[in-house]
Amino acid sequence: MATINANYNKLSAGYLFPEIARRTGAYLDDHPDVHVMRLGIGNTTEPLPPSVIRYLHQAVDNLAAVDTYTGYANGSEGNLDLREAIAGRYAERGVTLDPDEIFVSDGGKPDSANIQSIFGLDNVVAVQDPAYPVYVDSNVIAGRTGKSEAGQYEGIVYMPCTEANGFFPELPADKVDLIYICSPNNPIGSVATASQLQTFVDYAREHRAVIIFDAAYCAYISDPKLPHSIFEVDGASSCAIEINSFSKDTGFTGVRLGWTVVPRELAVEDAGSGVVNGLWRRRQNTMFNGASNIVQGGGLAVFTEAGKAECAAMVAYYMANAARIRSGLERMGLTVYGGVHAPYLWMKTPGGMGSWEFFDKLLSEARVVGTPGAGFGPSGEGFFRLSAFGHREDIESAVESIERNLRL
């Protein structure tokens, strides 16, 4: 008799973004003539850079001729030229990586979910709180947690990121095994300094723990002194895995392309150097046939001089949106964080209002959709995330509507 994976039943409520869509849909059903403006999901809106389009077309054309056609040629690890180009980007930040330590995938989110599968189910997981939901939910599904009580899962160590600690957590009080860190942080928009990351690297090395570092928004860091990769921190190659994405600075949210770095030096309690790298390779070879050849061809354009300039212009566009949102909210007297080194703004809800309560208020009064902080974890309650991804005119309309219609 077939049975289900009962761990799915532990997942609390619906996944955050479908729940936002459900509530928004219900509002529109009751108000069919209303135009809703969306500052919620971090979904890019601007066209792909011209260089990427040219490379994508070339990759398609290559499939039309016998001498340039490729089937599984790239392998599950990814196109070697692309992995070498990614390694070159790290080299610009003083980080030396071998292409065999880089695994190209169909995006940072699936890698963030799948990476836990190569670790034992008895590993204790710690997450920044608030956190991108996939870190927690993937470990719930795997069976590393108990039930959810008051917004927290039994067995997960939550590391609060609050106003009091500058939105960077303290070290776990007890030993943990897998530590999820995101910088620039989604949803908060804060960036970790080298010294802050060093404390976690030192902890991980002492306890033979592994840091799973999400750097998907590193292209938005405007201060060159702030680390773009955890591997800029001494000792990180022995205790960290890094996940990154083409989605947010290149516009590949729907095209799908990302990568994960698993250093050969990385070691854990029961396995020495090279083993974890080999396990991820084995996992990918077993369950993944590689990212689309066409998409990887487009990805190569990102590392050309023209591609770099075009992607930088896209980042600047979204960051100008962020500045516009932040200035509008601050004029209203609201407390806002982020929006400086990341395309997200973390707003304190007015009057101690609950974050889902504020979601309904913002939608009904200003016709604007954002993301309730509570959906990212317990420490997100009382905050609200707004996204700078959007067409400039839509951002302007949303901010003007908030300033004109939101009653504080």
Side-chain angles (χ1 to χ4, degrees):
M1 180 177 67
T3 61
I4 64 167
N5 176 357
N7 291 312
Y8 277 87
N9 293 330
K10 298 177 185 175
L11 294 171
S12 59
Y15 185 64
L16 172 61
F17 300 116
E19 175 63 13
I20 290 172
R22 186 194 68 77
R23 292 193 182 210
T24 305
Y27 177 82
L28 289 172
D29 287 342
D30 293 337
H31 305 83
D33 298 326
V34 168
H35 172 66
V36 169
M37 294 158 282
R38 302 175 190 270
L39 301 181
I41 297 176
N43 188 11
T44 52
T45 58
E46 302 312 296
L48 292 175
S51 296
V52 171
I53 293 295
R54 288 195 298 273
Y55 273 60
L56 287 171
H57 279 295
Q58 183 59 58
V60 171
D61 291 341
N62 287 345
L63 298 179
V66 171
D67 58 344
T68 53
Y69 172 82
T70 52
Y72 289 135
N74 288 329
S76 63
E77 295 90 346
N79 181 304
L80 179 58
D81 289 341
L82 181 56
R83 286 185 284 132
E84 289 177 340
I86 293 170
R89 173 179 287 183
Y90 281 90
E92 294 173 0
R93 299 287 305 179
V95 175
T96 300
L97 292 176
D98 187 278
D100 287 344
E101 298 174 300
I102 299 170
F103 298 81
V104 176
S105 71
D106 56 353
K109 184 176 183 178
D111 282 0
S112 296
N114 293 327
I115 195 69
Q116 53 75 30
S117 68
I118 63 175
F119 297 102
L121 293 183
D122 58 348
N123 282 199
V124 177
V125 175
V127 296
Q128 282 181 296
D129 171 38
Y132 189 44
V134 71
Y135 309 150
V136 172
D137 288 359
S138 59
N139 280 286
V140 173
I141 292 168
R144 291 192 182 88
T145 75
K147 296 180 180 179
S148 175
E149 298 287 345
Q152 297 191 24
Y153 287 96
E154 299 170 352
I156 293 280
V157 175
Y158 291 84
M159 303 184 295
C161 297
T162 67
E163 288 178 289
N165 62 21
F167 297 108
F168 191 81
E170 307 297 328
L171 291 171
D174 300 312
K175 182 182 183 302
V176 300
D177 305 301
L178 301 177
I179 305 169
Y180 288 81
I181 296 176
C182 179
S183 180
N185 181 279
N186 176 16
I188 299 171
S190 57
V191 183
T193 65
S195 61
Q196 287 173 328
L197 292 179
Q198 188 70 64
T199 63
F200 273 85
V201 168
D202 293 343
Y203 173 95
R205 285 164 62 87
E206 178 184 353
H207 295 285
R208 303 304 293 272
V210 174
I211 298 170
I212 299 172
F213 187 77
D214 186 344
Y217 296 92
C218 67
Y220 287 84
I221 300 174
S222 59
D223 185 347
K225 295 179 182 178
L226 290 170
H228 289 54
S229 165
I230 196 164
F231 300 123
E232 296 175 43
V233 176
D234 289 342
S237 292
S238 67
C239 65
I241 291 170
E242 182 165 296
I243 297 169
N244 212 318
S245 172
F246 286 78
S247 289
K248 307 306 182 180
D249 58 327
T250 308
F252 275 43
T253 47
V255 180
R256 308 305 306 152
L257 195 64
W259 73 88
T260 290
V261 178
V262 184
R264 291 190 179 278
E265 185 183 345
L266 176 64
V268 295
E269 286 190 30
D270 60 350
S273 298
V275 174
V276 177
N277 176 282
L279 287 177
W280 184 243
R281 187 180 311 279
R282 183 72 171 85
R283 189 270 171 200
Q284 295 298 79
N285 286 335
T286 300
M287 301 184 182
F288 184 59
N289 275 334
S292 160
N293 294 341
I294 296 169
V295 173
Q296 291 189 74
L300 283 167
V302 174
F303 302 95
T304 65
E305 290 306 312
K308 291 177 183 178
E310 290 161 1
C311 289
M314 181 178 291
V315 167
Y317 180 93
Y318 292 128
M319 289 309 298
N321 285 349
R324 176 66 181 93
I325 297 170
R326 181 162 180 153
S327 64
L329 297 177
E330 289 180 337
R331 276 197 299 272
M332 299 178 69
L334 294 164
T335 301
V336 188
Y337 301 95
V340 177
H341 299 294
Y344 295 124
L345 298 100
W346 193 237
M347 184 190 75
K348 195 170 185 177
T349 56
M353 187 177 295
S355 58
W356 279 107
E357 181 185 1
F358 184 76
F359 174 91
D360 293 334
K361 178 181 176 66
L362 186 66
L363 178 58
S364 63
E365 294 179 4
R367 312 296 194 261
V368 172
V369 172
T371 308
F376 296 102
S379 294
E381 183 55 273
F383 288 88
F384 201 77
R385 191 192 77 173
L386 294 169
S387 168
F389 292 115
H391 301 308
R392 183 64 46 76
E393 58 272 22
D394 295 336
I395 297 293
E396 289 285 350
S397 296
V399 174
E400 289 171 4
S401 181
I402 292 171
E403 290 188 273
R404 184 172 60 251
N405 299 311
L406 185 63
R407 298 188 293 275
L408 298 178

